[in-house]
């Protein structure tokens, strides 16, 4: 591989002008490799943040779709009741499936990138939620209900008194024999079950998983911040980028390597939001 000359530049971007780049220093390849190591956590941060956002957004979309005003508007647009039932089942399946994907992704990353005790602590948190929250029990068992039994929605109801709604009945859910501990929860519910009522608490637990997840990578995050800070201090830069060029002092035709500083800072912010983590900052 052809050797490249590496330079660190300062970026300056006031709102009223174009971005300005000022070359500061030439750096060695091993220094760039050390700098890049500071951002190793950013790939994990992006993956987990994206699936967390998908879960929460799917939950909100499900709630919005099931609102009587939305169903009424869709009927005005001549969407057939059978189609509305299908869309309701699609929406709730998307939510339940994204929950499982989130838990599976955390499990996979902890297995690959953390210690065995970190994975066990994650499992302990799952057990705690399962034992303490019927919403968690319901959603983790719900996907198996769909796979092995049926979709929850099969009735479209419209009346002057009740308006528009798509009904999930307790009797319909209890046709499934393997609800495990959720069966006793479901038996206590009304005959018509509002599944959207189970979304907010579950999404709150997804946030709790998300905040707890990053404590397993606390050392990586803090180390990354320190490496980046020392690099900026050494080269007297605040917002650095890296230039790579084949010819010394010739930047025409060079390539630019931006640094995922925003993601690293956001990962640190999530870590700081964990009430069980204390970080001492020295200025």
């Amino acid at each position: 591989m052809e050797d490249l000359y590496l330079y660190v530049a300062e970026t300056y971007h006031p709102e009223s002008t174009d971005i300005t780049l000022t070359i500061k220093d030439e750096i060695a390849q091993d220094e760039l490799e050390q700098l890049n190591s500071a951002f190793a956590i950013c790939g994990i941060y992006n993956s987990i943040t994206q699936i967390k956002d998908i879960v929460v957004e799917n939950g909100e979309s499900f709630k919005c779709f099931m609102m009587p005003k939305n169903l009424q508007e869709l009927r005005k647009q001549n969407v057939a009741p059978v189609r509305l039932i299908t869309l309701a089942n699609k929406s709730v399946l998307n939510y339940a499936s994204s929950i499982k994907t989130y838990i599976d992704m955390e499990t996979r990353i902890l297995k690959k990138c953390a210690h065995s005790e970190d994975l066990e602590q994650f499992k302990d948190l799952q057990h705690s939620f399962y034992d303490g929250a019927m919403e968690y029990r319901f959603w983790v068992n719900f996907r198996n209900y769909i796979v092995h039994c049926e979709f929850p929605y099969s009735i479209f109801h419209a009346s002057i008194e009740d308006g528009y709604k798509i009904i999930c009945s307790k009797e319909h859910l209890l046709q499934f024999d393997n609800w495990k501990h959720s069966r006793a929860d479901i038996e206590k519910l009304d005959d018509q079950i509002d599944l959207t009522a189970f979304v907010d608490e579950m999404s709150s637990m997804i946030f709790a998983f998300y905040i707890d997840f990053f404590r397993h990578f606390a050392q990586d995050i803090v180390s990354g911040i320190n490496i980046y800070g020392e690099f900026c201090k050494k080269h007297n830069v605040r917002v650095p980028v890296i230039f790579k060029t084949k010819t010394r002092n010739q930047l025409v035709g060079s390539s630019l390597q931006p640094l995922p500083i925003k993601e690293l800072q956001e990962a640190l912010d999530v870590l700081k939001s964990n009430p069980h983590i204390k970080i001492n900052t020295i200025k």
Side-chain angles (χ1 to χ4, degrees):
M1 183 177 178
E2 186 177 4
D3 290 337
L4 297 174
Y5 297 99
L6 307 173
Y7 298 89
V8 57
E10 174 76 272
T11 59
Y12 180 64
H13 192 191
E15 295 181 0
S16 59
T17 65
D18 294 332
I19 188 169
T20 300
L21 298 174
T22 303
I23 301 299
K24 303 290 287 188
D25 294 317
E26 184 176 354
I27 62 173
Q29 180 64 39
D30 58 350
E31 188 174 5
L32 177 59
E33 290 174 358
Q34 183 182 30
L35 176 63
N36 287 337
S37 72
F39 303 103
I41 189 63
C42 293
I44 291 174
Y45 170 79
N46 285 332
S47 296
I48 289 298
T49 300
Q50 187 173 53
I51 186 60
K52 180 265 294 179
D53 290 344
I54 288 172
V55 175
V56 175
E57 288 170 14
N58 281 350
E60 291 304 306
S61 294
F62 171 49
K63 288 164 54 181
C64 289
F65 179 83
M66 297 298 292
M67 292 178 62
K69 287 185 178 180
N70 181 60
L71 298 177
Q72 182 179 17
E73 181 60 31
L74 290 172
R75 283 297 293 131
K76 288 181 179 178
Q77 298 172 18
N78 295 319
V79 180
V82 66
R83 177 60 180 164
L84 293 175
I85 291 171
T86 298
L87 292 174
N89 284 321
K90 175 184 176 182
S91 185
V92 72
L93 177 59
N94 283 345
Y95 181 58
S97 297
S98 63
I99 291 170
K100 185 177 188 305
T101 300
Y102 182 90
I103 293 170
D104 289 348
M105 186 176 289
E106 281 209 3
T107 301
R108 174 180 60 79
I109 291 174
L110 290 173
K111 279 184 178 179
K112 182 179 179 181
C113 303
H115 301 291
S116 58
E117 56 265 30
D118 294 306
L119 182 59
E120 290 305 312
Q121 290 170 8
F122 176 53
K123 290 179 179 178
D124 288 342
L125 185 58
Q126 292 180 62
H127 294 324
S128 176
F129 285 160
Y130 190 93
D131 293 340
M134 67 84 60
E135 293 87 355
Y136 185 84
R137 290 192 294 270
F138 179 85
W139 288 117
V140 297
N141 290 318
F142 180 79
R143 190 171 178 275
N144 285 335
Y145 157 74
I146 290 181
V147 170
H148 298 290
C149 187
E150 183 58 273
F151 283 108
Y153 294 117
S154 59
I155 303 170
F156 179 85
H157 177 85
S159 70
I160 296 175
E161 295 82 8
D162 300 327
Y164 292 82
K165 57 184 176 180
I166 301 174
I167 295 172
C168 169
S169 71
K170 177 167 67 176
E171 179 183 9
H172 193 57
L173 291 183
L174 291 177
Q175 292 176 7
F176 183 44
D177 294 328
N178 198 27
W179 275 111
K180 301 179 182 177
H181 301 88
S182 294
R183 187 172 190 86
D185 299 327
I186 295 170
E187 288 173 343
K188 297 175 184 177
L189 299 175
D190 295 336
D191 290 337
Q192 293 183 12
I193 299 175
D194 178 12
L195 299 183
T196 64
F198 303 159
V199 169
D200 287 347
E201 184 64 27
M202 185 65 219
S203 292
S204 295
M205 285 181 277
I206 292 295
F207 273 112
F209 276 134
Y210 178 74
I211 292 172
D212 180 77
F213 175 81
F214 287 97
R215 73 182 175 89
H216 302 297
F217 297 94
Q219 187 59 52
D220 302 88
I221 296 170
V222 173
S223 175
I225 290 290
N226 288 334
I227 291 171
Y228 173 69
E230 288 299 319
F231 180 87
C232 292
K233 182 178 179 181
K234 176 181 178 181
H235 297 287
N236 191 28
V237 291
R238 294 178 60 86
V239 187
V241 294
I242 305 299
F243 275 101
K244 301 178 180 181
T245 181
K246 296 179 181 180
T247 306
R248 186 185 296 275
N249 298 323
Q250 176 58 262
L251 298 183
V252 176
S254 63
S255 62
L256 181 68
Q257 178 189 325
L259 301 170
I261 302 163
K262 177 175 177 288
E263 289 84 350
L264 182 60
Q265 181 61 55
E266 288 175 351
L268 180 64
D269 291 341
V270 175
L271 186 63
K272 287 180 177 179
S273 70
N274 189 321
H276 303 294
I277 297 291
K278 183 177 181 180
I279 299 176
N280 294 320
T281 303
I282 301 175
K283 294 184 180 180

